[in-house]
Amino acid sequence: MHVTWSMLRNPEPTELAAARVLAHRAVQWPARAARANLEPVPDDSHTSLAWDPGMAALLGQPLEGGVRVGLRVGVHELVFTKGSRTEAFAMAGKSDAEAGNWLDGMLAAEGLKPASGTKLPYEMPSTLFARPAVEAQGLSTLAVWFAAGAELLEELRKKYKRFKPGPTPVRCWPHHFDIAMVVELEGARAIGIGLSPGDGYYAQPYFYLSPYPKPDSENLPQLPPGGRWHTKGFFGAVATAIDLLELPDPRAGLLKIVDAAFEESLGRLQV
């Protein structure tokens, strides 16, 4: 069953910044647990997370013993799972130290290394302007954006399996907090497709499709309604939340944008 896109209209996409930084900061706990307990890999995918629709959570990679640490974005709580057992820690009104102590205790009980002492190789945005109690609706809507993004990306992943080497798993990256996949093509070429919950480029959720290496960007064709080409900072097709929600059928409109941008990118990569 598809995510109901009408649930994405309240609050407005441009009003999700505070909820986004709260969730972005919280999702670093699963990332820290992974950094502390998994062998690093060159692309940092050991710290990535996957959307679990049943739990409505971003879950980190499995640790020893089948433990997984994650974040229920919509209710702002950390989760610790092993088999059928799930423990949760509500983060609203709690400090980073309290969250770290809880998670370290859960990890220690399973013979795993603590997360709280793990340093991140990137800076995190401040949450001083964001309050979980005030942002409850925003967090709930942000979770639906991740659910919609994950669902659509899984559909596209099946569609693009005809290309070789083919699509990567759909992953949420804790650094930029986007959820994305890469369609790997022959000759070290690739097309990334994902959903960002918002960043320095757009202060709202947006879908993007970006080819690699960056091709010639002259004489770009017009994309279907809701889509635009982005050429500053990165090159690719973009569909912002506000533009998509103005369409009669946002999901169907987004698929048309992705199809058009993908075909154009393929041609420009000369695959």
Side-chain angles (χ1 to χ4, degrees):
M1 175 178 259
H2 293 320
V3 172
T4 304
W5 280 62
S6 61
M7 297 172 63
L8 300 170
R9 301 180 187 275
N10 182 30
E12 286 294 316
T14 53
E15 298 175 1
L16 295 176
R20 183 182 78 237
V21 297
L22 285 169
H24 192 181
R25 192 174 187 90
V27 86
Q28 302 311 311
W29 286 113
R32 287 188 180 97
R35 287 185 181 279
N37 289 284
L38 295 176
E39 286 294 322
V41 294
D43 67 355
D44 242 15
S45 59
H46 64 296
T47 70
S48 67
L49 304 97
W51 179 258
D52 184 298
M55 291 187 66
L58 290 166
L59 293 181
Q61 299 301 311
L63 309 181
E64 186 175 345
V67 167
R68 297 187 79 176
V69 181
L71 175 71
R72 283 192 180 121
V73 177
V75 292
H76 202 52
E77 65 180 22
L78 293 177
V79 291
F80 187 99
T81 73
K82 182 178 180 180
S84 60
R85 171 177 147 242
T86 299
E87 305 284 344
F89 178 83
M91 299 192 72
K94 303 294 176 59
S95 66
D96 271 359
E98 289 173 299
N101 287 339
W102 176 82
L103 181 54
D104 288 350
M106 298 297 294
L107 291 167
E110 299 294 335
L112 296 166
K113 296 176 183 177
S116 59
T118 303
K119 297 188 73 171
L120 300 172
Y122 44 82
E123 296 295 322
M124 288 301 302
S126 170
T127 59
L128 291 178
F129 71 99
R131 299 288 182 269
V134 176
E135 299 303 329
Q137 184 59 53
L139 288 163
S140 178
T141 300
L142 189 66
V144 181
W145 277 108
F146 274 105
E151 179 192 81
L152 188 130
L153 287 167
E154 290 292 355
E155 180 177 325
L156 292 172
R157 187 169 181 263
K158 293 176 183 177
K159 179 177 182 177
Y160 295 138
K161 276 188 175 180
R162 67 184 188 274
F163 295 98
K164 303 300 177 185
T168 64
V170 175
R171 299 183 174 110
C172 176
W173 300 90
H175 182 186
H176 296 294
F177 202 31
D178 60 333
I179 188 166
M181 69 170 183
V182 177
V183 183
E184 298 179 342
L185 308 169
E186 295 178 355
R189 298 178 176 92
I191 297 175
I193 309 171
L195 164 74
S196 168
D199 54 22
Y201 295 109
Y202 299 95
Q204 60 178 295
Y206 67 94
F207 286 86
Y208 64 85
L209 183 148
S210 183
Y212 176 85
K214 179 182 176 182
D216 172 35
S217 58
E218 296 295 322
N219 301 316
L220 291 166
Q222 185 172 347
L223 290 169
R228 68 180 78 173
W229 292 104
H230 181 102
T231 57
K232 292 184 179 179
F234 71 91
F235 171 75
V238 163
T240 66
I242 285 179
D243 287 344
L244 286 173
L245 293 176
E246 287 180 350
L247 299 177
D249 186 336
R251 190 179 190 278
L254 176 57
L255 287 172
K256 290 179 181 178
I257 295 165
V258 170
D259 283 345
F262 194 92
E263 291 303 317
E264 184 65 24
S265 296
L266 274 180
R268 289 179 182 252
L269 289 174
Q270 297 180 338
V271 174

